[in-house]
Amino acid sequence: MEPILSNVPGTLPWHVWHERHPAMFASLVEAHPFPPSTRTALDELLHETLTPEWLGTPFLAAESVFYRRLLEAIGYFTPDGPWAGFDLFAFLKDADLASASLDLPDLTPAERLLAALWGNQADLGFQLGSAIGPAAHLVVDQTDDALSVLTGAPRVGLVADNAGKELLADLGLVDWLLAGGGVDEVTVHLKPHPYYVSDATTTDLVKCLRALASAGGRATDLATRLHTAAAEGRFVVATHPFFCAPLPFHEAPPDLFGAADVLVFKGDLNYRRLVGDLRWPIATPFASTVPPLDAAIVALRTLKSDVLVGVDENSVTDLEGDWRVNGRYGSVQVVSRPAAGPTPPASGPVSPSPGRG
Ligand SMILES: O=P(O)(O)OC[C@H]1O[C@](O)(CO)[C@@H](O)[C@@H]1O
């Protein structure tokens, strides 16, 4: 199966490099007092990424390396430098969190699951390049199966995606799992440092909890329950360098997810890493594309890139235009836990071999 590349004009990856990234760089430079050397480094990075070498590298790997290079360009990893450890996307993530409604409604388990899914629409990198319409429908809806594998599972891992509103919705789901879903322990897997524009780090999770705690009503109660669960070792925050690696989850270290019985993968990028960023025919069975994890899998995603599997082709014939990438459609997809040991996928992904550019 061929990897998705960025060298075809008119495709989403082409748009990302040629339009979305320049717009993002303009907003970063406007928001920060970067010195001339940093501005030059950013310009050079932007130009470098438009070379045939970058555009001909698998999109998944190239984009990941790009975000690493962006942090290097601002001095994020320069010890004792003024920008060491500085989250250059914090201004966007904080604004998104500040605009969230914390007057939490009383949601059913299915509504909490779908809130976590549609919360994925609020991806700031995506918004920088296009407008998001009202929430629409699911091209695959296995919500009942998802609730069934989650309810009563001993250990659940949630592989988080974006900060702000999406992470708030994720915490709503985690709260239900621990308080009403009969789950003993939930681990939220976060990025070890800023990555794609709005990816959630530990700092972002703490900001969400503090916002909830000070909001009053159901929000404060939720934050209190999660703090108590954390003190009891039932709500666990974890991170690992692999979450910022330019690789699909098929190449994850074996201990990445601990002893999780169910893994919830949030968002588009995690979906691409879960099934492989490949030109799959959309009718390819979802279960045949995921890595052989010893856990059930629940993927909650709004569709923002070309990769899509597990879809009945007849069910999407009426959808028009850029429905596969415009973020207005979503999917809930489930793979049950293997009965006896992992099952190898029918067709493994091509491993990207990113150059550092
Ligand atoms: O935040 P999400 O849902 O992972 O979406 C980010 C998506 O936007 C993109 O960054 C496009 O640049 C995709 O690579 C990625 O799949």
mmCIF file of all heavy atoms in Angstrom, residues 264-292:
data_model
loop_
_atom_site.group_PDB
_atom_site.id
_atom_site.type_symbol
_atom_site.label_atom_id
_atom_site.label_comp_id
_atom_site.label_asym_id
_atom_site.label_seq_id
_atom_site.Cartn_x
_atom_site.Cartn_y
_atom_site.Cartn_z
ATOM 1 N N VAL A 264 -8.441 4.232 23.728
ATOM 2 C CA VAL A 264 -9.239 5.197 22.962
ATOM 3 C C VAL A 264 -8.261 6.123 22.248
ATOM 4 O O VAL A 264 -7.470 6.812 22.889
ATOM 5 C CB VAL A 264 -10.155 6.027 23.893
ATOM 6 C CG1 VAL A 264 -10.979 7.028 23.070
ATOM 7 C CG2 VAL A 264 -11.061 5.120 24.708
ATOM 8 N N PHE A 265 -8.305 6.104 20.925
ATOM 9 C CA PHE A 265 -7.433 6.975 20.130
ATOM 10 C C PHE A 265 -8.250 8.167 19.653
ATOM 11 O O PHE A 265 -9.250 8.006 18.961
ATOM 12 C CB PHE A 265 -6.855 6.211 18.933
ATOM 13 C CG PHE A 265 -5.841 5.181 19.313
ATOM 14 C CD1 PHE A 265 -6.230 3.887 19.641
ATOM 15 C CD2 PHE A 265 -4.494 5.504 19.382
ATOM 16 C CE1 PHE A 265 -5.292 2.927 20.010
ATOM 17 C CE2 PHE A 265 -3.547 4.558 19.747
ATOM 18 C CZ PHE A 265 -3.949 3.262 20.060
ATOM 19 N N LYS A 266 -7.799 9.352 20.026
ATOM 20 C CA LYS A 266 -8.521 10.574 19.695
ATOM 21 C C LYS A 266 -7.906 11.263 18.473
ATOM 22 O O LYS A 266 -6.696 11.429 18.390
ATOM 23 C CB LYS A 266 -8.453 11.555 20.876
ATOM 24 C CG LYS A 266 -9.231 11.184 22.115
ATOM 25 C CD LYS A 266 -10.741 11.173 21.941
ATOM 26 C CE LYS A 266 -11.320 12.309 21.138
ATOM 27 N NZ LYS A 266 -11.180 13.628 21.782
ATOM 28 N N GLY A 267 -8.780 11.703 17.569
ATOM 29 C CA GLY A 267 -8.347 12.654 16.568
ATOM 30 C C GLY A 267 -7.776 12.069 15.296
ATOM 31 O O GLY A 267 -7.588 10.862 15.142
ATOM 32 N N ASP A 268 -7.489 12.991 14.391
ATOM 33 C CA ASP A 268 -7.098 12.604 13.041
ATOM 34 C C ASP A 268 -5.670 12.083 12.961
ATOM 35 O O ASP A 268 -5.395 11.064 12.328
ATOM 36 C CB ASP A 268 -7.256 13.816 12.114
ATOM 37 C CG ASP A 268 -7.212 13.413 10.663
ATOM 38 O OD1 ASP A 268 -8.246 12.951 10.155
ATOM 39 O OD2 ASP A 268 -6.141 13.520 10.050
ATOM 40 N N LEU A 269 -4.754 12.775 13.612
ATOM 41 C CA LEU A 269 -3.365 12.327 13.518
ATOM 42 C C LEU A 269 -3.199 10.946 14.165
ATOM 43 O O LEU A 269 -2.524 10.068 13.620
ATOM 44 C CB LEU A 269 -2.426 13.342 14.180
ATOM 45 C CG LEU A 269 -0.957 12.919 14.185
ATOM 46 C CD1 LEU A 269 -0.436 12.726 12.767
ATOM 47 C CD2 LEU A 269 -0.104 13.934 14.922
ATOM 48 N N ASN A 270 -3.823 10.753 15.324
ATOM 49 C CA ASN A 270 -3.727 9.430 15.958
ATOM 50 C C ASN A 270 -4.356 8.356 15.070
ATOM 51 O O ASN A 270 -3.899 7.209 15.055
ATOM 52 C CB ASN A 270 -4.394 9.440 17.338
ATOM 53 C CG ASN A 270 -3.518 10.091 18.394
ATOM 54 O OD1 ASN A 270 -2.285 9.974 18.336
ATOM 55 N ND2 ASN A 270 -4.125 10.784 19.348
ATOM 56 N N TYR A 271 -5.403 8.726 14.325
ATOM 57 C CA TYR A 271 -6.025 7.774 13.391
ATOM 58 C C TYR A 271 -5.026 7.408 12.292
ATOM 59 O O TYR A 271 -4.869 6.238 11.935
ATOM 60 C CB TYR A 271 -7.279 8.402 12.798
ATOM 61 C CG TYR A 271 -8.132 7.457 11.973
ATOM 62 C CD1 TYR A 271 -9.122 6.691 12.566
ATOM 63 C CD2 TYR A 271 -7.961 7.345 10.588
ATOM 64 C CE1 TYR A 271 -9.922 5.840 11.808
ATOM 65 C CE2 TYR A 271 -8.749 6.501 9.827
ATOM 66 C CZ TYR A 271 -9.731 5.747 10.447
ATOM 67 O OH TYR A 271 -10.520 4.908 9.695
ATOM 68 N N ARG A 272 -4.356 8.431 11.748
ATOM 69 C CA ARG A 272 -3.363 8.165 10.692
ATOM 70 C C ARG A 272 -2.261 7.249 11.213
ATOM 71 O O ARG A 272 -1.780 6.363 10.497
ATOM 72 C CB ARG A 272 -2.755 9.488 10.216
ATOM 73 C CG ARG A 272 -3.751 10.358 9.476
ATOM 74 C CD ARG A 272 -3.232 11.789 9.312
ATOM 75 N NE ARG A 272 -2.029 11.863 8.524
ATOM 76 C CZ ARG A 272 -1.224 12.931 8.476
ATOM 77 N NH1 ARG A 272 -1.535 14.017 9.180
ATOM 78 N NH2 ARG A 272 -0.135 12.926 7.749
ATOM 79 N N ARG A 273 -1.848 7.470 12.454
ATOM 80 C CA ARG A 273 -0.792 6.629 13.034
ATOM 81 C C ARG A 273 -1.324 5.235 13.376
ATOM 82 O O ARG A 273 -0.568 4.274 13.424
ATOM 83 C CB ARG A 273 -0.213 7.296 14.282
ATOM 84 C CG ARG A 273 0.442 8.635 14.003
ATOM 85 C CD ARG A 273 1.097 9.221 15.239
ATOM 86 N NE ARG A 273 2.327 8.519 15.579
ATOM 87 C CZ ARG A 273 3.051 8.763 16.670
ATOM 88 N NH1 ARG A 273 2.653 9.697 17.521
ATOM 89 N NH2 ARG A 273 4.144 8.089 16.923
ATOM 90 N N LEU A 274 -2.611 5.145 13.620
ATOM 91 C CA LEU A 274 -3.207 3.863 14.015
ATOM 92 C C LEU A 274 -3.391 2.920 12.824
ATOM 93 O O LEU A 274 -3.146 1.720 12.938
ATOM 94 C CB LEU A 274 -4.564 4.136 14.680
ATOM 95 C CG LEU A 274 -5.323 2.952 15.253
ATOM 96 C CD1 LEU A 274 -4.532 2.292 16.385
ATOM 97 C CD2 LEU A 274 -6.690 3.404 15.781
ATOM 98 N N VAL A 275 -3.833 3.468 11.696
ATOM 99 C CA VAL A 275 -4.103 2.590 10.549
ATOM 100 C C VAL A 275 -2.978 2.656 9.517
ATOM 101 O O VAL A 275 -2.935 1.836 8.594
ATOM 102 C CB VAL A 275 -5.466 2.919 9.878
ATOM 103 C CG1 VAL A 275 -6.582 2.941 10.901
ATOM 104 C CG2 VAL A 275 -5.425 4.213 9.103
ATOM 105 N N GLY A 276 -2.058 3.615 9.674
ATOM 106 C CA GLY A 276 -1.016 3.826 8.675
ATOM 107 C C GLY A 276 -1.482 4.895 7.707
ATOM 108 O O GLY A 276 -2.633 4.868 7.264
ATOM 109 N N ASP A 277 -0.600 5.850 7.376
ATOM 110 C CA ASP A 277 -0.979 6.975 6.509
ATOM 111 C C ASP A 277 -0.830 6.548 5.048
ATOM 112 O O ASP A 277 0.044 7.018 4.325
ATOM 113 C CB ASP A 277 -0.082 8.176 6.829
ATOM 114 C CG ASP A 277 -0.770 9.500 6.517
ATOM 115 O OD1 ASP A 277 -1.999 9.575 6.689
ATOM 116 O OD2 ASP A 277 -0.069 10.441 6.098
ATOM 117 N N LEU A 278 -1.716 5.643 4.660
ATOM 118 C CA LEU A 278 -1.579 4.943 3.384
ATOM 119 C C LEU A 278 -2.828 5.119 2.544
ATOM 120 O O LEU A 278 -3.901 5.462 3.056
ATOM 121 C CB LEU A 278 -1.344 3.448 3.644
ATOM 122 C CG LEU A 278 -0.207 3.109 4.628
ATOM 123 C CD1 LEU A 278 -0.201 1.633 4.944
ATOM 124 C CD2 LEU A 278 1.127 3.536 4.050
ATOM 125 N N ARG A 279 -2.684 4.831 1.270
ATOM 126 C CA ARG A 279 -3.815 4.991 0.341
ATOM 127 C C ARG A 279 -4.746 3.786 0.409
ATOM 128 O O ARG A 279 -4.977 3.103 -0.589
ATOM 129 C CB ARG A 279 -3.291 5.183 -1.081
ATOM 130 C CG ARG A 279 -2.380 6.359 -1.218
ATOM 131 C CD ARG A 279 -2.098 6.718 -2.659
ATOM 132 N NE ARG A 279 -1.372 7.967 -2.710
ATOM 133 C CZ ARG A 279 -1.910 9.163 -2.528
ATOM 134 N NH1 ARG A 279 -3.202 9.274 -2.295
ATOM 135 N NH2 ARG A 279 -1.166 10.255 -2.567
ATOM 136 N N TRP A 280 -5.286 3.524 1.584
ATOM 137 C CA TRP A 280 -6.201 2.391 1.736
ATOM 138 C C TRP A 280 -7.488 2.628 0.943
ATOM 139 O O TRP A 280 -8.046 3.727 0.999
ATOM 140 C CB TRP A 280 -6.632 2.238 3.197
ATOM 141 C CG TRP A 280 -5.600 1.903 4.207
ATOM 142 C CD1 TRP A 280 -5.157 2.699 5.222
ATOM 143 C CD2 TRP A 280 -4.907 0.667 4.370
ATOM 144 N NE1 TRP A 280 -4.228 2.044 5.998
ATOM 145 C CE2 TRP A 280 -4.057 0.790 5.482
ATOM 146 C CE3 TRP A 280 -4.920 -0.544 3.664
ATOM 147 C CZ2 TRP A 280 -3.230 -0.242 5.921
ATOM 148 C CZ3 TRP A 280 -4.094 -1.561 4.107
ATOM 149 C CH2 TRP A 280 -3.263 -1.402 5.216
ATOM 150 N N PRO A 281 -8.012 1.620 0.271
ATOM 151 C CA PRO A 281 -9.406 1.717 -0.192
ATOM 152 C C PRO A 281 -10.299 1.839 1.052
ATOM 153 O O PRO A 281 -10.032 1.171 2.069
ATOM 154 C CB PRO A 281 -9.637 0.369 -0.895
ATOM 155 C CG PRO A 281 -8.261 -0.164 -1.185
ATOM 156 C CD PRO A 281 -7.355 0.369 -0.109
ATOM 157 N N ILE A 282 -11.343 2.667 0.979
ATOM 158 C CA ILE A 282 -12.080 2.948 2.220
ATOM 159 C C ILE A 282 -12.828 1.731 2.761
ATOM 160 O O ILE A 282 -13.154 1.683 3.940
ATOM 161 C CB ILE A 282 -13.046 4.150 2.080
ATOM 162 C CG1 ILE A 282 -14.152 3.882 1.078
ATOM 163 C CG2 ILE A 282 -12.302 5.410 1.756
ATOM 164 C CD1 ILE A 282 -15.228 4.972 1.104
ATOM 165 N N ALA A 283 -13.076 0.731 1.919
ATOM 166 C CA ALA A 283 -13.790 -0.462 2.398
ATOM 167 C C ALA A 283 -12.860 -1.452 3.117
ATOM 168 O O ALA A 283 -13.316 -2.475 3.636
ATOM 169 C CB ALA A 283 -14.471 -1.158 1.232
ATOM 170 N N THR A 284 -11.565 -1.151 3.175
ATOM 171 C CA THR A 284 -10.631 -2.038 3.885
ATOM 172 C C THR A 284 -11.088 -2.198 5.333
ATOM 173 O O THR A 284 -11.350 -1.201 6.015
ATOM 174 C CB THR A 284 -9.208 -1.413 3.888
ATOM 175 O OG1 THR A 284 -8.864 -1.046 2.570
ATOM 176 C CG2 THR A 284 -8.187 -2.387 4.471
ATOM 177 N N PRO A 285 -11.212 -3.432 5.836
ATOM 178 C CA PRO A 285 -11.666 -3.583 7.225
ATOM 179 C C PRO A 285 -10.737 -2.857 8.204
ATOM 180 O O PRO A 285 -9.514 -3.012 8.131
ATOM 181 C CB PRO A 285 -11.634 -5.095 7.442
ATOM 182 C CG PRO A 285 -11.724 -5.681 6.069
ATOM 183 C CD PRO A 285 -11.014 -4.708 5.163
ATOM 184 N N PHE A 286 -11.343 -2.073 9.083
ATOM 185 C CA PHE A 286 -10.568 -1.310 10.085
ATOM 186 C C PHE A 286 -9.634 -2.234 10.876
ATOM 187 O O PHE A 286 -8.453 -1.942 11.062
ATOM 188 C CB PHE A 286 -11.565 -0.599 11.011
ATOM 189 C CG PHE A 286 -10.964 0.205 12.125
ATOM 190 C CD1 PHE A 286 -10.052 1.222 11.866
ATOM 191 C CD2 PHE A 286 -11.330 -0.030 13.445
ATOM 192 C CE1 PHE A 286 -9.506 1.979 12.901
ATOM 193 C CE2 PHE A 286 -10.791 0.724 14.483
ATOM 194 C CZ PHE A 286 -9.872 1.725 14.217
ATOM 195 N N ALA A 287 -10.164 -3.388 11.308
ATOM 196 C CA ALA A 287 -9.385 -4.295 12.163
ATOM 197 C C ALA A 287 -8.140 -4.821 11.447
ATOM 198 O O ALA A 287 -7.167 -5.203 12.109
ATOM 199 C CB ALA A 287 -10.260 -5.460 12.624
ATOM 200 N N SER A 288 -8.171 -4.845 10.111
ATOM 201 C CA SER A 288 -7.018 -5.389 9.385
ATOM 202 C C SER A 288 -5.888 -4.373 9.259
ATOM 203 O O SER A 288 -4.792 -4.714 8.820
ATOM 204 C CB SER A 288 -7.441 -5.857 7.990
ATOM 205 O OG SER A 288 -7.673 -4.740 7.143
ATOM 206 N N THR A 289 -6.150 -3.123 9.616
ATOM 207 C CA THR A 289 -5.136 -2.079 9.430
ATOM 208 C C THR A 289 -4.425 -1.685 10.728
ATOM 209 O O THR A 289 -3.353 -1.095 10.674
ATOM 210 C CB THR A 289 -5.792 -0.800 8.860
ATOM 211 O OG1 THR A 289 -6.741 -0.296 9.804
ATOM 212 C CG2 THR A 289 -6.481 -1.076 7.543
ATOM 213 N N VAL A 290 -5.024 -1.978 11.878
ATOM 214 C CA VAL A 290 -4.459 -1.494 13.150
ATOM 215 C C VAL A 290 -3.355 -2.422 13.632
ATOM 216 O O VAL A 290 -3.300 -3.582 13.226
ATOM 217 C CB VAL A 290 -5.568 -1.368 14.230
ATOM 218 C CG1 VAL A 290 -6.659 -0.411 13.777
ATOM 219 C CG2 VAL A 290 -6.153 -2.730 14.575
ATOM 220 N N PRO A 291 -2.455 -1.921 14.482
ATOM 221 C CA PRO A 291 -1.391 -2.790 14.980
ATOM 222 C C PRO A 291 -1.938 -3.875 15.912
ATOM 223 O O PRO A 291 -3.033 -3.718 16.466
ATOM 224 C CB PRO A 291 -0.465 -1.826 15.743
ATOM 225 C CG PRO A 291 -1.276 -0.619 16.007
ATOM 226 C CD PRO A 291 -2.352 -0.551 14.974
ATOM 227 N N PRO A 292 -1.191 -4.958 16.091
ATOM 228 C CA PRO A 292 -1.669 -6.068 16.922
ATOM 229 C C PRO A 292 -1.515 -5.771 18.412
ATOM 230 O O PRO A 292 -0.699 -6.377 19.103
ATOM 231 C CB PRO A 292 -0.780 -7.237 16.481
ATOM 232 C CG PRO A 292 0.490 -6.593 16.049
ATOM 233 C CD PRO A 292 0.119 -5.259 15.460
#
